[in-house]
Amino acid sequence: MNFPETGGVCGGSSPLSLNSRLTPDGVIPQSAQNMKQLSAIAAVMVLTQWSGAAESNARPVTLDSCIQAALQKNLDIRLSRYLPELTETELWTAYSAYDPTFNFSATRRIEQDPGGTRFGGFVAPPVDQENDQFGTSLTGLTPIGGRYTLSGNTTRFNSEDTLRIGTNLFGPFGTVDYAGAATASMSQPLLRNSWIDSARWTIQLTKRALKQDQESVRLQVINTVTDVQRAYYSLFAAREAVRVQEKALELAERSLSESRKKVEVGALAPLEEKRAEARVAAVRVDLIGARQNLQSASNNLKRLITDDYGAMEDALDAADALTPVPFPFNRQDSWHLAMTSRPDLIQQQLTLEQQNITLRFRRNQLFPQLDLSASYSAAGRASQFAGNLDGIPDTEIGDYFRSIRDRDNPTHSYGVVFSIPLSNRAERGRYKAAKLTKEQMLLQLKRLEQSILVSVDNAILTAQTAYERIQATREAKLFAEQALDAEQKKLENGKSTYFEVLNLQSQLISASANAVSAVADYHQAIAELHRAEGSTLDKAGLKLEFR
């Protein structure tokens, strides 16, 4: 993703040698007696320069651009998107229970009888017969649990024989007979499997599972957006912490320069110079830590907004200014949002719905089997004769199909089928287990609701405290600046020591860092409150839709 560039980057100074140190006046050679201490200080400065090198390529990014990048490339979000897609295939498979099944069969049977059997004056002639049978059927399940069958069958009898009566021989002659029927049958459960059966049970459970997976995606998006917000605010705080430490280093170095000049003219004890040098070294160590935290914050944000971490070589810098705007806290509104918007709560409610469906199915299986069945059939038959039998009419194949079409030989039936297991112990046990599971889930839902209310309360309290802390830290910083300014004036008049000034400088640095941290903490607390409410996407102007 291409991030908008909204500002410049910070440059760094050149590396220092181990036998020199940086002051406001430039690089100053050191005396031999201070070489050991100054070497350590210079080594710290070299590390400082190395830590700041990454900042020279920092790319300013806005919070909105980071959120958009995360929505497109965050690996956790991309992985979560497969959940509803996989469940959709399961739902599609569950609907296959209503797919009709087509069957076709074709059979040829050959029968040969040599004849010769005598019945009085009648001698059975030889028979050569071929039977061709064709059958088709379409069977399936209806959405209300019934089963239907549409079938048709045709049998073709082809025979050739000779008829002998006394001394008279008739034939040979052939006979082609056609017989078959078209049938429609239906069975409908009236008790067990009437209002819900295994197919409808599976489909309804899978529908709720699909909604649960969609809520899982929404939960992952909410968590990722919140994590991006928190990481962005942490990046802002880390950058400001570096600036505070850089300012602290500037103050410490200025104090060191001033103390050194006074020591040279004999107006200050050499001990004060050593204290100032120690203070500079300590501040530089803190600056190294601050720059390390800044790099870590940048890496954490990059991890959230890209799927190719290695390709993002530049460090990131927060381009947005954080303005602590008062938030209208309302416990009842936040509770209502959480009870209607939290994805984890919706998932638990859907789980309870699934259990209600299972309980309904198990209760229906306690009933006996009572099915209503009905069928209707139209049969047809036709014969064709060939030979020397006089007086026997020929019948065309068309007459066979016409008789079926005109329902010349209809047959219909209806009835009921009843069956009941004598104990039904298995289903009664499953039904009882389903009831107990539902009671357990109700308690789990109640526990989750209570946990959510507590988390919202704690989030509100944290945000309120964070906002109050902003004003307190600002005042503390202002007082620390005033105290340091007054102490520096006393030092100029010879009424104070560098130790007191350095101590107040430390207090000012701490107060400045706390002021920066308070602003970032407040924005993070608001982000956590939105997460607790389940309103993160709405507050960020995002809308999640599933096709």
Side-chain angles (χ1 to χ4, degrees):
M1 178 174 181
N2 295 324
F3 295 100
E5 297 186 4
T6 57
V9 296
C10 299
S13 54
S14 59
L16 300 175
S17 61
L18 293 179
N19 59 354
S20 62
R21 62 182 177 179
L22 184 65
T23 70
D25 299 325
V27 178
I28 303 176
Q30 300 302 316
S31 59
Q33 63 268 23
N34 294 331
M35 186 61 65
K36 185 176 180 180
Q37 180 181 2
L38 294 175
S39 295
I41 296 174
V44 171
M45 294 177 65
V46 171
L47 292 176
T48 306
Q49 297 299 321
W50 177 84
S51 300
E55 299 178 42
S56 61
N57 296 323
R59 177 177 298 179
V61 292
T62 63
L63 177 58
D64 288 341
S65 66
C66 291
I67 291 176
Q68 292 299 324
L71 293 177
Q72 297 173 11
K73 297 185 177 182
N74 182 268
L75 292 175
D76 291 332
I77 292 180
R78 292 176 61 182
L79 284 171
S80 67
R81 289 173 181 169
Y82 283 96
L83 294 176
E85 292 182 7
L86 291 172
T87 307
E88 281 181 357
T89 62
E90 295 179 6
L91 181 59
W92 181 71
T93 303
Y95 272 110
S96 66
Y98 299 117
D99 294 343
T101 301
F102 176 78
N103 302 285
F104 174 79
S105 64
T107 306
R108 166 164 285 195
R109 181 184 177 190
I110 300 174
E111 181 180 354
Q112 294 178 337
D113 187 350
T117 304
R118 290 180 175 273
F119 297 95
F122 175 79
V123 178
V127 177
D128 188 0
Q129 182 173 315
E130 294 181 356
N131 297 341
D132 295 328
Q133 294 180 334
F134 303 92
T136 60
S137 65
L138 190 69
T139 61
L141 180 68
T142 67
I144 56 175
R147 293 189 175 274
Y148 62 88
T149 300
L150 304 176
S151 63
N153 63 84
T154 299
T155 303
R156 178 178 178 270
F157 303 93
N158 184 6
S159 63
E160 182 178 332
D161 55 12
T162 302
L163 179 62
R164 181 189 299 272
I165 302 178
T167 60
N168 298 320
L169 184 64
F170 300 90
F173 64 90
T175 305
V176 179
D177 293 333
Y178 295 92
T183 305
S185 61
M186 178 75 180
S187 65
Q188 176 60 46
L190 300 179
L191 291 177
R192 180 185 292 183
N193 295 325
S194 58
W195 58 79
I196 185 171
D197 57 2
S198 59
R200 283 174 282 178
W201 176 44
T202 302
I203 290 173
Q204 293 181 28
L205 289 182
T206 309
K207 284 183 176 180
R208 270 65 176 187
L210 177 59
K211 293 181 180 179
Q212 285 179 320
D213 291 339
Q214 291 173 348
E215 290 301 319
S216 294
V217 175
R218 194 164 73 91
L219 178 60
Q220 183 59 60
V221 173
I222 287 176
N223 288 335
T224 301
V225 170
T226 305
D227 291 343
V228 169
Q229 292 172 337
R230 290 181 58 88
Y232 190 87
Y233 301 143
S234 295
L235 179 62
F236 169 84
R239 183 198 65 195
E240 295 302 316
V242 169
R243 292 179 177 176
V244 168
Q245 294 301 328
E246 289 174 343
K247 183 64 176 178
L249 180 60
E250 179 184 345
L251 291 175
E253 289 178 338
R254 185 165 64 244
S255 297
L256 176 59
S257 176
E258 293 174 355
S259 63
R260 183 174 292 115
K261 291 177 181 179
K262 291 186 178 183
V263 169
E264 291 175 354
V265 298
L268 191 66
L271 178 61
E272 298 297 333
E273 180 183 3
K274 300 303 180 182
R275 287 176 175 173
E277 290 175 348
R279 176 60 185 166
V280 170
V283 172
R284 282 175 178 157
V285 171
D286 293 339
L287 180 57
I288 291 174
R291 284 177 173 167
Q292 180 184 356
N293 292 337
L294 177 60
Q295 186 64 41
S296 298
S298 175
N299 293 342
N300 186 39
L301 181 58
K302 287 196 293 183
R303 175 187 64 84
L304 293 169
I305 65 176
T306 184
D307 57 358
D308 189 2
Y309 181 84
M312 296 187 67
E313 298 180 356
D314 295 343
L316 303 181
D317 185 22
D320 295 340
L322 299 188
T323 304
V325 179
F327 187 83
F329 300 106
N330 188 304
R331 175 184 296 177
Q332 296 300 326
D333 290 346
S334 295
W335 278 354
H336 176 73
L337 275 175
M339 291 296 103
T340 57
S341 303
R342 282 277 294 250
D344 52 346
L345 181 59
I346 295 176
Q347 285 179 314
Q348 187 66 28
Q349 292 169 346
L350 289 170
T351 301
L352 184 59
E353 288 184 19
Q354 287 180 315
Q355 188 59 30
N356 285 331
I357 294 170
T358 298
L359 186 62
R360 185 166 172 253
F361 173 72
R362 293 303 176 194
R363 182 173 181 273
N364 184 238
Q365 297 304 300
L366 296 176
F367 286 80
Q369 190 80 33
L370 179 62
D371 295 350
L372 175 65
S373 62
S375 67
Y376 182 86
S377 176
R381 187 177 181 86
S383 300
Q384 288 182 325
F385 299 93
N388 60 359
L389 291 179
D390 297 332
I392 299 179
D394 292 342
T395 303
E396 300 293 338
I397 183 64
D399 295 338
Y400 161 70
F401 291 106
R402 192 178 303 110
S403 64
I404 294 178
R405 183 196 65 188
D406 296 340
R407 300 187 294 277
D408 293 338
N409 302 293
T411 301
H412 64 274
S413 66
Y414 55 87
V416 294
V417 178
F418 179 82
S419 65
I420 181 173
L422 295 182
S423 68
N424 209 17
R425 184 183 304 173
E427 291 300 335
R428 286 191 287 113
R430 295 188 184 101
Y431 176 67
K432 183 177 180 180
K435 288 181 65 176
L436 293 175
T437 303
K438 179 183 176 180
E439 294 176 2
Q440 183 185 38
M441 288 182 176
L442 285 172
L443 290 176
Q444 291 173 344
L445 179 61
K446 183 66 176 178
R447 182 181 62 183
L448 178 59
E449 290 175 344
Q450 182 167 294
S451 175
I452 289 174
L453 295 179
V454 173
S455 66
V456 170
D457 261 2
N458 290 338
I460 291 176
L461 179 61
T462 301
Q464 289 175 331
T465 303
Y467 185 74
E468 294 172 357
R469 183 167 166 261
I470 291 175
Q471 184 61 31
T473 54
R474 283 178 177 175
E475 293 178 354
K477 178 184 176 183
L478 178 61
F479 295 152
E481 290 174 347
Q482 294 174 351
L484 176 60
D485 184 63
E487 197 67 27
Q488 286 177 336
K489 291 180 180 179
K490 291 173 60 178
L491 178 63
E492 293 173 358
N493 296 326
K495 297 181 179 180
S496 181
T497 64
Y498 273 99
F499 177 80
E500 296 296 334
V501 172
L502 294 176
N503 184 43
L504 291 176
Q505 283 182 358
S506 299
Q507 295 180 13
L508 176 59
I509 294 170
S510 177
S512 300
N514 290 337
V516 172
S517 176
V519 174
D521 290 347
Y522 174 68
H523 284 82
Q524 289 181 339
I526 295 299
E528 286 297 334
L529 175 58
H530 292 162
R531 174 161 32 194
E533 295 173 342
S535 62
T536 299
L537 302 184
D538 292 337
K539 301 298 183 181
L542 302 174
K543 187 176 182 181
L544 192 61
E545 295 181 349
F546 297 93
R547 293 180 294 178

